[in-house]
Amino acid sequence: MTAIDKALDVLDYLSMNGAPESLGNLVEATALPKPTVRRLLIGLIENGLVVQDQQKKYTLGNELSDLAARASARLSVAEVGRSAVGELRDHVVGTITLFSFSAQGLLPVLQLEDTASAYFTAPRAGAQLQQTAAGKAILAEMYRPAVDHFLGTSAAQDDTLHEELALVRERGYAVENEESQPGVRAVAAAIRSFTERPIGAIAVTVPVRVTSLPELIRMAPRVVDAAQSVSTSFGGGQDQERRGDR
Amino acid sequence: MTTLDKATETLRSLATFAEAANLADIAAEVGIPKPTLYRVLKDLTARGMVQQDDTGAYALGSRTFDLARRSLRSFGVSDEVRGIMVELAQSVDLSVHLSGFRGGQLVYLDNVEVESLFLTRSMIGTLRPLYASATGRCVLANLDEVTARQILESSDRTQLTPRTVTDIEEIIGGLGQIRETGYAINDEEDELASVSVATHFAGPDGAPLGGISIVAPSYEYTAQDLVDRAPQLVAAGKRISATFAAV
């Protein structure tokens, strides 16, 4: 085992339950001698990879998020998502749209039309978030106060919408059934970053007369996988471990 | 330099490259011999901290991002705190930022952006300079002077803009007024084009746990405009402190 392996073992253990750990627990978990663990922790603290709190317990350090933030500032959803969207093209019908998301709203950054189909649809520009599949996928990833902030008071009090968002969260994808434009259906999944915020979405949009609702929903796992693979590049976690606090 | 120091330097270096970097470039940046760097990268790659693309170039791996997410999450920002931030942002119609103070460092944790032409790239997760940010000085003002001085002495105090105050005595000298008024102003001291006002929040023992700030573009807002909004900000800071007392 190398010095790096031992240090990363300590980080692995600290990452497991998120709560600060005592020296004793770390010694037990790593099965390393106490002086070794102590020395490892000193090195990890010096490098900002571990911090010690006021109760003398250890937790994951601040350098980690600084690294991730600076690295991901250089990544764009459009560039990172390109290959995932390209791969998705082989598995679904309809128009595939990759969106980035910021305070300014949803922005389509890449669109692949279904050249095999005579009918062509696309997400409606300027639609409200709660009307589109991509918008709902994004809203479902947000903290409740942020949802209320984005939608304003009227939508914030819409219990049906919040129930639907809870369902989207549970399933991992959102469905739109002629809500933003007649004759159009869509399924979408959100892209998350290590900050646990939505930074984009992938949507598949189809004409109602070509693709039935069950057919659309059968494509959902592919869309979820594609979005997850982009999320992974930005450090977004898997569904199961997210939002445990909800 | 220990092996761990080299590994951390390697990760830091990878975070600064726009795209995947090759061994020679990283070696030049980190300043360690290529064979040593190769072994470090091999260990880091085996653990997913670093990844290699088809061409053999290196970039930060998903495990680094995963640990970053868990590190941020361990600050435990609650929906209640986010709700207070949203209310503040809506009442002043300006963006609100939240930072956490831990291990002598300030980490930018969250923001509520209001619609504006002023686009800022979200840098959530980054370390913020305590000496050159309003939030940092609010935290310093609520630490004992010995600790505040230690933090200032160990920071690099880079001149980030022409307005950055880097003199320790001058910074310490300003802390009394911050303690008294409950807020600090930052007028283009960490970045040009941005003016902010901040207040701290604290745990039940009074120890500062971080701060919130109202951030505005300096071409539209003056420091005085933000001072006018300080009462609402300070009230929000107290409400955030109260959420910790309740736990």
Side-chain angles (χ1 to χ4, degrees), chain A residues 101-106 129 149-152, chain B residues 89-90 92-96 112-120 215 217 219-221:
Chain A
F101 178 74
S102 68
Q104 278 68 33
L106 270 175
L129 286 182
H149 173 58
F150 258 90
L151 298 184
Chain B
Q90 287 176 341
V92 298
D93 200 26
L94 286 169
S95 296
V96 170
V112 178
E113 301 281 354
V114 298
E115 266 184 80
S116 157
L117 292 173
F118 186 62
L119 277 167
T120 50
V215 185
Y219 57 81
E220 259 184 83
Y221 292 84

Side-chain angles (χ1 to χ4, degrees), chain B:
Chain B
M1 243 184 154
T2 67
T3 308
L4 183 60
D5 294 340
K6 287 173 193 158
T8 313
E9 279 305 317
T10 302
L11 294 174
R12 284 192 188 116
S13 150
L14 288 173
T16 66
F17 284 106
E19 280 164 46
N22 63 42
L23 190 69
D25 290 340
I26 307 166
E29 172 92 13
V30 182
I32 56 177
K34 275 196 263 183
T36 314
L37 178 63
Y38 178 76
R39 280 197 302 276
V40 167
L41 282 166
K42 195 168 161 243
D43 281 353
L44 289 172
T45 307
R47 300 290 290 252
M49 298 293 284
V50 167
Q51 62 182 20
Q52 244 182 320
D53 67 14
D54 306 338
T55 70
Y58 298 93
L60 288 184
S62 59
R63 182 62 179 153
T64 300
F65 287 98
D66 193 45
L67 289 172
R69 180 167 51 86
R70 291 164 195 270
S71 169
L72 276 188
R73 177 178 259 254
S74 68
F75 277 93
V77 180
S78 65
D79 269 14
E80 202 179 349
V81 169
R82 291 175 207 272
I84 295 168
M85 290 172 67
V86 167
E87 269 182 49
L88 177 64
Q90 287 176 341
S91 78
V92 298
D93 200 26
L94 286 169
S95 296
V96 170
H97 293 193
L98 177 95
S99 294
F101 178 68
R102 182 169 79 176
Q105 293 173 311
L106 195 64
V107 184
Y108 178 19
L109 294 180
D110 203 2
N111 61 22
V112 178
E113 301 281 354
V114 298
E115 266 184 80
S116 157
L117 292 173
F118 186 62
L119 277 167
T120 50
R121 190 178 269 287
S122 163
M123 289 301 283
I124 290 176
T126 50
L127 290 167
R128 306 293 305 144
L130 279 128
Y131 68 96
S133 66
T135 308
R137 284 200 300 270
C138 287
V139 166
L140 290 173
N142 288 281
L143 293 168
D144 61 89
E145 197 181 313
V146 176
T147 311
R149 200 173 277 277
Q150 269 171 3
I151 289 173
L152 287 171
E153 275 164 3
S154 65
S155 69
D156 58 6
R157 298 192 310 289
T158 310
Q159 185 86 40
L160 298 168
T161 76
R163 295 191 176 195
T164 310
V165 179
T166 58
D167 181 65
I168 292 183
E169 295 315 318
E170 199 179 337
I171 296 169
I172 299 262
L175 299 182
Q177 197 193 337
I178 295 169
R179 236 184 336 266
E180 216 169 279
T181 59
Y183 65 84
I185 289 283
N186 175 354
D187 194 359
E188 303 194 322
E189 284 165 58
D190 61 342
E191 52 188 320
L192 292 171
S194 167
V195 56
S196 61
V197 58
T199 191
H200 83 294
F201 51 84
D205 58 354
L209 295 175
I212 47 167
S213 56
I214 301 174
V215 185
S218 55
Y219 57 81
E220 259 184 83
Y221 292 84
T222 64
Q224 184 57 47
D225 290 334
L226 292 185
V227 169
D228 294 343
R229 291 162 174 83
Q232 284 150 286
L233 173 76
V234 172
K238 292 205 166 107
R239 282 177 67 199
I240 293 178
S241 296
T243 66
F244 295 105
V247 173

Side-chain angles (χ1 to χ4, degrees), chain A residues 46-96:
Chain A
E46 274 172 5
N47 280 290
L49 301 174
V50 165
V51 289
Q52 196 174 15
D53 65 17
Q54 274 127 344
Q55 287 78 44
K56 300 278 173 212
K57 289 188 167 184
Y58 302 91
T59 187
L60 292 173
N62 305 326
E63 186 68 28
L64 292 159
S65 64
D66 191 64
L67 281 171
R70 282 184 292 124
S72 54
R74 294 168 193 279
L75 301 174
S76 79
V77 170
E79 274 176 47
V80 174
R82 190 176 298 271
S83 67
V85 165
E87 248 170 69
L88 182 61
R89 181 67 288 168
D90 297 337
H91 301 289
V92 297
V93 298
T95 299
I96 305 173

Side-chain angles (χ1 to χ4, degrees), chain A residues 34 45 52 69 80 88 132 150 176 188-189 232:
Chain A
K34 196 167 175 176
I45 290 170
Q52 196 174 15
V80 174
L88 182 61
T132 68
F150 258 90
E176 165 194 350
T232 303

